[in-house]
Amino acid sequence: MNYTLHQLHIFLKIAELQSITKASEELHLTQPAVSIQLKNFQDQFPIPLTEVVGRRLFVTDFGNEIAQAAEKILNQVQEINYRTMAFQGRLSGRLKISVVSTGKYVMPFFMSDFMKENPGVDLIMDVTNKTKVVRSLERNEVDFALVSVLPDKLKVSSVALMPNKLFYVSDYQRELPKSHTKQYLFEKLPLIYREPGSATRNAMEGFITENRYSVTKKLELTSNEAVKQAVIAGLGCSIMPLIGIKNSLRNNELRIIPVKGLPIITTWNLIWLKSKNLSPAAVAFLDYLTEKKEEIINEKFNWIKDF
């Protein structure tokens, strides 16, 4: 057998995504190039790695075993690279961070200069809802997590980054009665929710429960971006994090409706398990945050003080 690391990498990505098209997009290769590499890789095995049923590609049981072996090999190769850089006096390693959906507007600004200063560090950032973020932290699958509400059942250490403000928003063109009440906003207008497990949804439902509103019209969408676009289109109103709607407010696509008791204010926290043995890259990132946090907030997020 004479397969290459490149072929292992391509096949692993195909196995993860169950699609040649998606693999080619993520790897920034053409679909024919990925197909050729898959064929060349397959030609070295007497047993099929994949099969096509209908128009869908499936990885066989044998293919899944090869994918697992490929992942181990590629990880070991990466470890060799990290060790080489360490002997050269360069910070190296891998940082894995799980981020709640709205956190994608926050975390990159705290990572950017650190990654530029340390090219030997690889970043893997997964963006999902709070439930999955906490689960990945609990399973020790990540170094850090970014959340706006600290988990109850985990013993974690944390660094507070900045406030997270949630406001009631509507599309800019929506006309409201001059003497509208809070009850009107929550019971007469359609409300757009995030999916179960989202911290934004939990905050929104907590506010509604606390005020004993009876919501009769509601939609459910699975990302803050989808909620934002639905509100802009006039499908309804929502309680949304300020951090994700700045441009839409400035462009007069959305507007904040003043509501007593809002905004809901929480804090973005970078958290990690207290029992976690942090890698040199993770320790270096925490040191970087301690030194640069306030500078980043003042430079990138000072506009939040206006709301």
Side-chain angles (χ1 to χ4, degrees), residues 166 168 182 186 200-213 239 259-264:
L166 290 85
Y168 186 101
K182 285 200 300 182
F186 285 91
T200 299
R201 177 175 177 139
N202 292 343
M204 182 172 171
E205 289 183 327
F207 183 80
I208 290 170
T209 300
E210 181 182 340
N211 288 273
R212 299 180 180 177
Y213 296 131
I239 291 179
V259 175
K260 186 178 180 180
L262 294 179
I264 300 168

Side-chain angles (χ1 to χ4, degrees), residues 47-290:
I47 304 170
L49 300 170
T50 62
E51 58 184 357
V52 177
V53 179
R55 293 187 175 183
R56 289 190 59 189
L57 180 141
F58 294 88
V59 179
T60 64
D61 290 342
F62 176 69
N64 281 320
E65 290 193 15
I66 297 301
Q68 292 173 15
E71 184 175 21
K72 291 179 182 177
I73 292 170
L74 292 170
N75 285 340
Q76 289 173 343
V77 170
Q78 194 65 59
E79 183 63 26
I80 291 172
N81 294 335
Y82 293 148
R83 289 179 182 272
T84 301
M85 286 184 280
F87 269 90
Q88 293 174 324
R90 295 167 56 191
L91 182 66
S92 62
R94 183 177 295 174
L95 273 180
K96 293 184 178 181
I97 303 178
S98 189
V99 177
V100 294
S101 299
T102 314
K104 67 176 176 285
Y105 301 108
V106 176
M107 200 66 227
F109 291 100
F110 288 94
M111 299 293 311
S112 179
D113 286 345
F114 177 79
M115 297 303 297
K116 290 175 184 176
E117 292 170 8
N118 299 283
V121 175
D122 293 330
L123 173 64
I124 300 174
M125 188 164 70
D126 179 42
V127 180
T128 184
N129 66 36
K130 183 192 173 187
T131 298
K132 293 179 180 177
V133 167
V134 173
R135 187 183 305 140
S136 65
L137 189 70
E138 186 176 18
R139 294 175 178 174
N140 198 30
E141 296 171 346
V142 296
D143 299 301
F144 301 109
L146 182 70
V147 296
S148 58
V149 179
L150 295 175
D152 295 327
K153 298 180 180 180
L154 291 181
K155 294 181 179 180
V156 298
S157 298
S158 65
V159 173
L161 297 183
M162 51 183 281
N164 178 37
K165 299 181 179 181
L166 290 85
F167 290 87
Y168 186 101
V169 296
S170 78
D171 59 286
Y172 195 79
Q173 302 300 326
R174 185 177 293 276
E175 295 183 2
L176 299 173
K178 290 183 179 180
S179 58
H180 67 267
T181 63
K182 285 200 300 182
Q183 189 171 11
Y184 175 86
L185 295 175
F186 285 91
E187 296 188 356
K188 298 300 182 182
L189 299 179
L191 282 180
I192 304 176
Y193 287 68
R194 282 287 308 278
E195 80 285 1
S198 159
T200 299
R201 177 175 177 139
N202 292 343
M204 182 172 171
E205 289 183 327
F207 183 80
I208 290 170
T209 300
E210 181 182 340
N211 288 273
R212 299 180 180 177
Y213 296 131
S214 178
V215 178
T216 56
K217 301 177 181 179
K218 72 178 186 180
L219 297 80
E220 183 178 299
L221 300 173
T222 57
S223 74
N224 278 293
E225 188 63 30
V227 172
K228 181 174 72 175
Q229 294 303 324
V231 175
I232 290 173
L235 284 175
C237 301
S238 189
I239 291 179
M240 297 196 68
L242 178 64
I243 193 73
I245 60 174
K246 176 182 70 171
N247 291 336
S248 295
L249 291 171
R250 289 179 174 175
N251 296 335
N252 292 333
E253 296 174 320
L254 294 176
R255 62 173 172 151
I256 292 173
I257 307 299
V259 175
K260 186 178 180 180
L262 294 179
I264 300 168
I265 302 178
T266 58
T267 301
W268 289 113
N269 285 279
L270 189 73
I271 64 175
W272 63 98
L273 294 175
K274 280 191 174 180
S275 58
K276 178 80 173 173
N277 185 18
L278 294 175
S279 68
V283 171
F285 179 59
L286 287 179
D287 291 341
Y288 167 82
L289 276 185
T290 300

